[in-house]
Amino acid sequence: MSKTAEADDRGRIVIPHEIREKHGDRYRVVELDDRVELIPLDADPIEGLRAAVGDAFDDRSIAEIRREAREGARRDAAADLVEPETDDLR
């Protein structure tokens, strides 16, 4: 579906009813080099994330996912640590 919309004197754009019915009332406005896009936002962002990644997080709580992400970040950071070079001043 493609529609044309114009901003009013206050900069507001009306999203057509058919589009709001299908995608909801909340959108992220993303400015790209050559255009602006509206990305629909789910009422529950966690459910939106689950829908986007499929069953990757099934049967796991947000706390478990957060803990695993932090542990992975710590492991990655530790793997990137390099022993500082020491100059022997003797």
Side-chain angles (χ1 to χ4, degrees):
M1 174 187 300
S2 178
K3 300 272 185 171
T4 300
E6 289 185 28
D8 67 12
D9 59 338
R10 294 179 60 191
R12 297 176 296 191
I13 296 174
V14 175
I15 298 171
H17 176 75
E18 302 83 26
I19 294 173
R20 291 192 326 269
E21 283 291 310
K22 182 176 180 181
H23 297 286
D25 292 321
R26 296 185 64 223
Y27 297 82
R28 176 166 309 282
V29 178
V30 179
E31 181 181 7
L32 302 170
D33 289 337
D34 60 340
R35 66 187 178 280
V36 174
E37 291 188 7
L38 299 176
I39 310 296
L41 297 176
D42 287 314
D44 181 352
I46 300 303
E47 286 306 314
L49 175 63
R50 287 184 189 277
V53 299
D55 61 358
F57 298 130
D58 276 358
D59 301 324
R60 292 169 49 203
S61 71
I62 297 305
E64 290 173 305
I65 295 167
R66 184 177 293 138
R67 181 180 43 75
E68 290 175 12
R70 286 184 180 146
E71 288 172 1
R74 283 187 188 110
R75 278 193 306 274
D76 291 347
D80 289 340
L81 288 178
V82 177
E83 290 293 322
E85 291 182 25
T86 57
D87 292 332
D88 193 12
L89 300 175
R90 296 183 238 178

